[in-house]
Amino acid sequence: MENYLKTYVEYRKKIKAYGYFVWLMSWDQETEAPDASVEYRTKQYQVLAEEFYKIESAPEYLEAVDYLFAHLDEIDDKDLKVEIKQAEKALRMVKKVPKDELLEYQVLTSQASHVWSKAKNENNFSMYQPTLEKIFVFNRKLVKYLETDELKGYDILLDMFEEGFTQKEYNLFFNTLKEKLVPFVKEVTAKKDKFSRKLTKGVFPREKQKQFSEYLIDVFAYDRTRGLLKESAHPFTSGVTSTDTRITTHYYENNLTSSIFSSIHEMGHALYEIQNDPKYDDTFLHGGTSLGIHESQSRMYENMFGRSKAFWTVHYPKLQEIFNKELKGITLDEFVAFVNKSERSLIRVEADELTYALHIMIRYEIEKELIDGKLKVKDLPKRWNKLYYDYLGIRPKTDKEGVLQDIHWSGGAIGYFPTYALGSAYAAQIYQAMNKDLNIEEALLNNNIKAINAWTKEHIHKFASSKTPKEILMIATKEAFNPMYYVDYLKNKYQR
Amino acid sequence: MENYLKTYVEYRKKIKAYGYFVWLMSWDQETEAPDASVEYRTKQYQVLAEEFYKIESAPEYLEAVDYLFAHLDEIDDKDLKVEIKQAEKALRMVKKVPKDELLEYQVLTSQASHVWSKAKNENNFSMYQPTLEKIFVFNRKLVKYLETDELKGYDILLDMFEEGFTQKEYNLFFNTLKEKLVPFVKEVTAKKDKFSRKLTKGVFPREKQKQFSEYLIDVFAYDRTRGLLKESAHPFTSGVTSTDTRITTHYYENNLTSSIFSSIHEMGHALYEIQNDPKYDDTFLHGGTSLGIHESQSRMYENMFGRSKAFWTVHYPKLQEIFNKELKGITLDEFVAFVNKSERSLIRVEADELTYALHIMIRYEIEKELIDGKLKVKDLPKRWNKLYYDYLGIRPKTDKEGVLQDIHWSGGAIGYFPTYALGSAYAAQIYQAMNKDLNIEEALLNNNIKAINAWTKEHIHKFASSKTPKEILMIATKEAFNPMYYVDYLKNKYQR
């Protein structure tokens, strides 16, 4: 036992160190590495990735994990128990899937995003179809390899991204949305709001947007000694430890609010990892417990705090001070209405809060049908367009603004989309629980986001991934997942 | 033979990959890593450094290098021959110095900069003295271990930093300076220039300085797809391949010219490595051949091109356009005189072009005496102050502005300083040679720095470190090192 534990800890240390290199390289690549450097960097990466793989798949390490997993009851440390369980689960793929099939699939997905990107640019689904078919063929085989008494089919994939959430939970969730939200969305989006041309057609200088994002860092108490804000093509959060979790944003001069809300969104993600208990830094438990819980934090900070009238009551004067010319004459109420407007659209990443989950619901149904074999990849565009018409009342004119819009499937991420919608729904439930302990509106009006951060730390963040999403929800809200909080939140917000 | 070559290439690939990680980590650390991240990063670094060391000191690798070195005449590839020679030389330390002494010294020097920094802050030499004594004791032993028939004593250290340059060359060099330059400096610096308060007491906004440095990138054709300009506490160049060589600068709002000339200086370094023949990227030969040649490029670009009247004739209008208020009424001539002023000072890093080499000469004499055992560390401050008085006519009032000012010795860099002065002297000689092929003044007046870059590439840069400094000098100038070019350059420039 002692020897296995020692081996485990030794390997964990090395795996974390190589993981650190991969993290840093990718951060550099996404934010500033010069264009011509890609070839050299890829070569160095390949050499170290090979060393990394040797360590991760060392028989000595696999044996240690197996032994410890078989003797979990002899381990007292609760966190270590959780960690061993997760390590064993993560290694299942390596052990159960034939190595050549796995390698073939890795090559396939590493090349698929190029194929996808080209097909999207040329609005040509049939170019992408053969690749996508292979990806789904593999995933249908994969779920067979990983099948257990408890989990089968699409559930295996769903559970990989959000532990404990399978079709049972998601069907309940999406059926609720279908029943309560679909008619409501049609009603709300039938009327179109009008806003000042200053907001819709203005030019908002980059440097001023930057200044406001820097101001937001202090407002949200995103610790500058543990993170930083930089620019990249698409905003993201990239963390490696509670002492180093960085974010990016992107400034569009024709869009004032994009950088504001992406900065807040990413700070929500970053606060989660910065507020992880530092005792997890050297373990595999550092980080968020799931994509859904992670997204609940980013969306709660962005939408529920960041788009609230209380928030802008305090911070709109600062925004107007910086954009003194650009926002002249725009009232607080008009600005708040503008950042909370709703509109049906075809593109998921441009969707507003109200309609976002419906975009996800469409992808969920399609993934389910593809994995079950009820839908063929070649029939995908037709099915996609029909669902958009059924749920959102609009129909893509091209596959580019339809089934070709997302990169995810090309990377093999099937079962991932549903966590996005779950995040927003979790957020609504968590908000209500928090509001019982703490008057959120008052905290926002007092510019006391530290009090909010203290709550999220205590009830969610500090646990890192030592608890499952269901456990976190129970700790934070004292009840199981209930999608009605989300429906109520949206209805309450968008009711006119 | 074939097997040894294969082994060598395999190890080289790995060593380059780990080297890439060390490079990237250090770049991140010096430019943006959040303060609190240092502990975690250091831990990951230690784990990978251990793996790195295992590879670099693997018996299989050492054996391959030894074999190839012993059979150099069987190797046809000229570059590979040079590389093997260099690898063998680099490994001599590992092989000839007892491992425990080497490790002890590494620990000593890794901690010494803290001791130095504290002693400097508190202006307390005796705090630093015991550490510095140990460093010199080791280096006196080191030169014994590495002694050959050709090289002994201080020469070993000098040759480590600038191959082929030993006391013979340096004595000739510094004696020339002593004879020709010391009286001249005293004469020139006796008169003090007066400049507009706009230049000496102005405030120059950071953003505007940044704008001008960005402008300079295009002027010097520093390829943005192969590098980038960022900020750090002290300016530096950090390159890892011809496709990735980055620079930093630092903006002081009370000093307009600091960021300008440090940007040009670092671009001189960066152009050298970017213009290395890319065939060296995957070998140990990528990079500059020596500190001296590297410094010759940075100083030639900074001082000889960047401070010339021809250069500012073209670019001063742009500078005035950006600093329209701050430079109003300052003429081109006044600005050029200002950036070429000379003044005696106690601090090396603040020294101007004329007096810089004298600061170095002092350190050279002191290092020689310490390694020879003629001078004791405890007598260092007295000796230091006397030499400053003899050569520059000024005397430090405190050790902080005297012997404690430089970090170098604390890191074990003994024999390093002289290369700084050599760089300037090389630059003067190279400039004259270049001027025979190319009218430099005309090129500068035509804003045609590309022509200059093409010359430096063809005669210096493309060779990377496949030639020794002496060989490079011979290729570029068709003669051996001659310090009189430097003396003439300075006399010509500072004669009034």
Side-chain angles (χ1 to χ4, degrees), chain B residues 384-403:
Chain B
W384 181 282
N385 295 351
K386 183 177 184 308
L387 287 170
Y388 262 81
Y389 188 74
D390 288 351
Y391 297 153
L392 282 154
I394 46 180
R395 192 187 293 274
K397 285 202 189 63
T398 65
D399 289 335
K400 191 175 174 172
E401 55 179 24
V403 68

Side-chain angles (χ1 to χ4, degrees), chain B residues 167-183:
Chain B
Q167 290 171 79
K168 194 180 137 222
E169 287 80 5
Y170 279 117
N171 285 341
L172 175 78
F173 174 39
F174 286 119
N175 286 337
T176 307
L177 298 191
K178 217 181 290 181
E179 186 191 334
K180 312 277 184 193
L181 216 55
V182 168

